[in-house]
Amino acid sequence: MSSSTQSVTVIGLGPMGQAMAAAFLDHGYAVTVWNRTASRADDLVARGAVLAPSVEEALAANEVVILSLTDYAAMYDVLEPTATALAGRVLVNLSSDTPEQARAAARWAVERGAVQLTGGITVPPSGVGQSASSTFYSGPREVFDKHRLVLEVVTGRTDYRGEDPGLAALFYQLGMVMFWTSMLSYWQAIALARANGLAAADILQHATDTANSLPGFFAFYAERIDAGRHLGDVDRLAMGMASVEHVLHTNADAGVDTALPTAVARLFRRGMDAGHAADSFSSLVELLKKAEA
Ligand code: NDP
């Protein structure tokens, strides 16, 4: 087995795993790879990576094993049959999934003599190997510290969130809940613009300015929310209710899909019904803290 600081194994060669293996090659590492579809290793092998003939041999090659699979179910598909080959391995799991899946997988790894570092990587393949990119990690601190230099090849910055293996996945999902919803709001704006004869390019600057204004709101409301204060001194939910209904009707009038603005208006309506009309719309956080009965 090779030294953990000089060599790694990468299992899973989708766009992300390929970029990771390439980054390790760029840094002079000896890289062993394995992928269900072996042909996806061709370019890496041409650059000097070793394609292991089996998962067992990929695991035997190195202490540090980077996993970049679609989800944790794929990990079980790949690793469950290997049984004893996991003993002594550090599984750096950069596959995305839920915090609960990450915790269960960490326990599963320990039962097989391995240890998991959960990773939450928030950049696309082009950001892999870049010094400015960052990845969330959680799991045993001493394992993270020992292998930090290896992790810094994947992204130049590492953001260790704590021992709980679910934390890195949680931070990843916190970003994703905002990413998907925000991008969907952008698609909605483009659909509305197009229904009015405008192209995406015509609203790009306005969309960018709107998005850039959000961090100021994040900071302003974070302090108040943590203090449990939803004062209606700057905005009132009743005002927001009227505004989101304007948004809903603007979309309906244009004949575009109203699923998203309807869902937004429904949440505001629930806040109104719960008696928050005179409070800030940040009071919706209290509503969102538990699932609707
Ligand atoms: P892909 O889904 O394109 O590929 C992941 C790999 O998983 C492939 O090598 C695929 O093998 C393998 N795989 C999937 N299912 C199975 C299975 N049942 N058995 C064996 N192998 C399996 O993912 P990406 O490379 O795009 O991403 C990897 C992870 O990183 C994902 O969890 C993703 O959410 C996350 N991520 C992705 C980003 C992106 O921009 N792409 C950005 C940030 C995070 P095969 O080649 O044989 O199909």
Side-chain angles (χ1 to χ4, degrees), residues 214-228:
L214 293 180
F217 291 101
F218 295 166
F220 176 77
Y221 286 109
E223 197 183 324
R224 288 179 164 218
I225 289 168
D226 283 348

PDB file of all heavy atoms in Angstrom, residues 214-228:
ATOM      1  N   LEU A 214     -29.448  40.602  -2.084  1.00  0.00           N
ATOM      2  CA  LEU A 214     -29.917  39.667  -1.057  1.00  0.00           C
ATOM      3  C   LEU A 214     -29.011  39.561   0.169  1.00  0.00           C
ATOM      4  O   LEU A 214     -29.518  39.492   1.300  1.00  0.00           O
ATOM      5  CB  LEU A 214     -30.155  38.287  -1.672  1.00  0.00           C
ATOM      6  CG  LEU A 214     -31.314  38.231  -2.684  1.00  0.00           C
ATOM      7  CD1 LEU A 214     -31.464  36.815  -3.247  1.00  0.00           C
ATOM      8  CD2 LEU A 214     -32.638  38.679  -2.052  1.00  0.00           C
ATOM      9  N   PRO A 215     -27.667  39.533   0.014  1.00  0.00           N
ATOM     10  CA  PRO A 215     -26.828  39.390   1.221  1.00  0.00           C
ATOM     11  C   PRO A 215     -27.098  40.454   2.279  1.00  0.00           C
ATOM     12  O   PRO A 215     -27.013  40.171   3.480  1.00  0.00           O
ATOM     13  CB  PRO A 215     -25.403  39.482   0.666  1.00  0.00           C
ATOM     14  CG  PRO A 215     -25.518  38.949  -0.720  1.00  0.00           C
ATOM     15  CD  PRO A 215     -26.850  39.455  -1.216  1.00  0.00           C
ATOM     16  N   GLY A 216     -27.425  41.652   1.875  1.00  0.00           N
ATOM     17  CA  GLY A 216     -27.764  42.695   2.847  1.00  0.00           C
ATOM     18  C   GLY A 216     -28.988  42.301   3.671  1.00  0.00           C
ATOM     19  O   GLY A 216     -29.021  42.495   4.895  1.00  0.00           O
ATOM     20  N   PHE A 217     -29.975  41.723   2.993  1.00  0.00           N
ATOM     21  CA  PHE A 217     -31.168  41.244   3.707  1.00  0.00           C
ATOM     22  C   PHE A 217     -30.822  40.066   4.627  1.00  0.00           C
ATOM     23  O   PHE A 217     -31.331  39.971   5.748  1.00  0.00           O
ATOM     24  CB  PHE A 217     -32.256  40.810   2.710  1.00  0.00           C
ATOM     25  CG  PHE A 217     -32.867  41.958   1.952  1.00  0.00           C
ATOM     26  CD1 PHE A 217     -32.474  42.241   0.657  1.00  0.00           C
ATOM     27  CD2 PHE A 217     -33.833  42.766   2.556  1.00  0.00           C
ATOM     28  CE1 PHE A 217     -33.030  43.308  -0.043  1.00  0.00           C
ATOM     29  CE2 PHE A 217     -34.395  43.839   1.865  1.00  0.00           C
ATOM     30  CZ  PHE A 217     -33.990  44.111   0.567  1.00  0.00           C
ATOM     31  N   PHE A 218     -29.948  39.160   4.145  1.00  0.00           N
ATOM     32  CA  PHE A 218     -29.556  38.007   4.973  1.00  0.00           C
ATOM     33  C   PHE A 218     -29.006  38.500   6.313  1.00  0.00           C
ATOM     34  O   PHE A 218     -29.410  38.038   7.379  1.00  0.00           O
ATOM     35  CB  PHE A 218     -28.465  37.161   4.294  1.00  0.00           C
ATOM     36  CG  PHE A 218     -28.874  36.481   3.008  1.00  0.00           C
ATOM     37  CD1 PHE A 218     -27.903  35.945   2.169  1.00  0.00           C
ATOM     38  CD2 PHE A 218     -30.195  36.364   2.653  1.00  0.00           C
ATOM     39  CE1 PHE A 218     -28.254  35.304   0.996  1.00  0.00           C
ATOM     40  CE2 PHE A 218     -30.569  35.729   1.474  1.00  0.00           C
ATOM     41  CZ  PHE A 218     -29.587  35.209   0.643  1.00  0.00           C
ATOM     42  N   ALA A 219     -28.053  39.427   6.234  1.00  0.00           N
ATOM     43  CA  ALA A 219     -27.381  39.890   7.453  1.00  0.00           C
ATOM     44  C   ALA A 219     -28.358  40.625   8.370  1.00  0.00           C
ATOM     45  O   ALA A 219     -28.371  40.412   9.586  1.00  0.00           O
ATOM     46  CB  ALA A 219     -26.212  40.801   7.070  1.00  0.00           C
ATOM     47  N   PHE A 220     -29.187  41.488   7.783  1.00  0.00           N
ATOM     48  CA  PHE A 220     -30.140  42.274   8.579  1.00  0.00           C
ATOM     49  C   PHE A 220     -31.088  41.354   9.353  1.00  0.00           C
ATOM     50  O   PHE A 220     -31.307  41.514  10.558  1.00  0.00           O
ATOM     51  CB  PHE A 220     -30.939  43.199   7.652  1.00  0.00           C
ATOM     52  CG  PHE A 220     -32.013  43.989   8.357  1.00  0.00           C
ATOM     53  CD1 PHE A 220     -31.684  45.109   9.119  1.00  0.00           C
ATOM     54  CD2 PHE A 220     -33.343  43.616   8.261  1.00  0.00           C
ATOM     55  CE1 PHE A 220     -32.670  45.841   9.767  1.00  0.00           C
ATOM     56  CE2 PHE A 220     -34.341  44.334   8.906  1.00  0.00           C
ATOM     57  CZ  PHE A 220     -33.998  45.456   9.665  1.00  0.00           C
ATOM     58  N   TYR A 221     -31.640  40.347   8.660  1.00  0.00           N
ATOM     59  CA  TYR A 221     -32.642  39.496   9.302  1.00  0.00           C
ATOM     60  C   TYR A 221     -32.022  38.418  10.193  1.00  0.00           C
ATOM     61  O   TYR A 221     -32.655  37.974  11.155  1.00  0.00           O
ATOM     62  CB  TYR A 221     -33.565  38.863   8.252  1.00  0.00           C
ATOM     63  CG  TYR A 221     -34.552  39.855   7.674  1.00  0.00           C
ATOM     64  CD1 TYR A 221     -34.428  40.316   6.367  1.00  0.00           C
ATOM     65  CD2 TYR A 221     -35.586  40.359   8.455  1.00  0.00           C
ATOM     66  CE1 TYR A 221     -35.325  41.244   5.846  1.00  0.00           C
ATOM     67  CE2 TYR A 221     -36.485  41.283   7.948  1.00  0.00           C
ATOM     68  CZ  TYR A 221     -36.347  41.728   6.646  1.00  0.00           C
ATOM     69  OH  TYR A 221     -37.230  42.648   6.153  1.00  0.00           O
ATOM     70  N   ALA A 222     -30.791  37.980   9.906  1.00  0.00           N
ATOM     71  CA  ALA A 222     -30.172  36.908  10.721  1.00  0.00           C
ATOM     72  C   ALA A 222     -30.118  37.320  12.181  1.00  0.00           C
ATOM     73  O   ALA A 222     -30.487  36.536  13.082  1.00  0.00           O
ATOM     74  CB  ALA A 222     -28.772  36.588  10.202  1.00  0.00           C
ATOM     75  N   GLU A 223     -29.669  38.531  12.418  1.00  0.00           N
ATOM     76  CA  GLU A 223     -29.524  39.009  13.795  1.00  0.00           C
ATOM     77  C   GLU A 223     -30.887  39.046  14.495  1.00  0.00           C
ATOM     78  O   GLU A 223     -31.042  38.588  15.625  1.00  0.00           O
ATOM     79  CB  GLU A 223     -28.908  40.413  13.748  1.00  0.00           C
ATOM     80  CG  GLU A 223     -28.338  40.872  15.060  1.00  0.00           C
ATOM     81  CD  GLU A 223     -27.808  42.299  14.931  1.00  0.00           C
ATOM     82  OE1 GLU A 223     -27.271  42.641  13.849  1.00  0.00           O
ATOM     83  OE2 GLU A 223     -27.976  43.060  15.885  1.00  0.00           O
ATOM     84  N   ARG A 224     -31.874  39.569  13.794  1.00  0.00           N
ATOM     85  CA  ARG A 224     -33.216  39.671  14.399  1.00  0.00           C
ATOM     86  C   ARG A 224     -33.831  38.293  14.633  1.00  0.00           C
ATOM     87  O   ARG A 224     -34.453  38.051  15.668  1.00  0.00           O
ATOM     88  CB  ARG A 224     -34.123  40.490  13.470  1.00  0.00           C
ATOM     89  CG  ARG A 224     -33.769  41.978  13.473  1.00  0.00           C
ATOM     90  CD  ARG A 224     -34.667  42.763  12.531  1.00  0.00           C
ATOM     91  NE  ARG A 224     -34.573  44.203  12.817  1.00  0.00           N
ATOM     92  CZ  ARG A 224     -35.592  45.045  12.760  1.00  0.00           C
ATOM     93  NH1 ARG A 224     -36.785  44.629  12.385  1.00  0.00           N
ATOM     94  NH2 ARG A 224     -35.429  46.320  13.041  1.00  0.00           N
ATOM     95  N   ILE A 225     -33.671  37.394  13.661  1.00  0.00           N
ATOM     96  CA  ILE A 225     -34.264  36.055  13.791  1.00  0.00           C
ATOM     97  C   ILE A 225     -33.635  35.315  14.970  1.00  0.00           C
ATOM     98  O   ILE A 225     -34.336  34.679  15.770  1.00  0.00           O
ATOM     99  CB  ILE A 225     -34.110  35.272  12.465  1.00  0.00           C
ATOM    100  CG1 ILE A 225     -35.044  35.862  11.398  1.00  0.00           C
ATOM    101  CG2 ILE A 225     -34.408  33.781  12.675  1.00  0.00           C
ATOM    102  CD1 ILE A 225     -34.782  35.366   9.993  1.00  0.00           C
ATOM    103  N   ASP A 226     -32.293  35.398  15.100  1.00  0.00           N
ATOM    104  CA  ASP A 226     -31.637  34.717  16.218  1.00  0.00           C
ATOM    105  C   ASP A 226     -32.088  35.288  17.553  1.00  0.00           C
ATOM    106  O   ASP A 226     -32.069  34.596  18.574  1.00  0.00           O
ATOM    107  CB  ASP A 226     -30.109  34.799  16.073  1.00  0.00           C
ATOM    108  CG  ASP A 226     -29.595  33.810  15.032  1.00  0.00           C
ATOM    109  OD1 ASP A 226     -30.381  32.931  14.615  1.00  0.00           O
ATOM    110  OD2 ASP A 226     -28.421  33.911  14.635  1.00  0.00           O
ATOM    111  N   ALA A 227     -32.480  36.556  17.555  1.00  0.00           N
ATOM    112  CA  ALA A 227     -32.965  37.183  18.792  1.00  0.00           C
ATOM    113  C   ALA A 227     -34.479  36.963  18.972  1.00  0.00           C
ATOM    114  O   ALA A 227     -35.064  37.440  19.954  1.00  0.00           O
ATOM    115  CB  ALA A 227     -32.643  38.679  18.768  1.00  0.00           C
ATOM    116  N   GLY A 228     -35.094  36.268  18.002  1.00  0.00           N
ATOM    117  CA  GLY A 228     -36.538  35.994  18.096  1.00  0.00           C
ATOM    118  C   GLY A 228     -37.391  37.235  17.896  1.00  0.00           C
ATOM    119  O   GLY A 228     -38.531  37.297  18.342  1.00  0.00           O
TER     120      GLY A 228
END
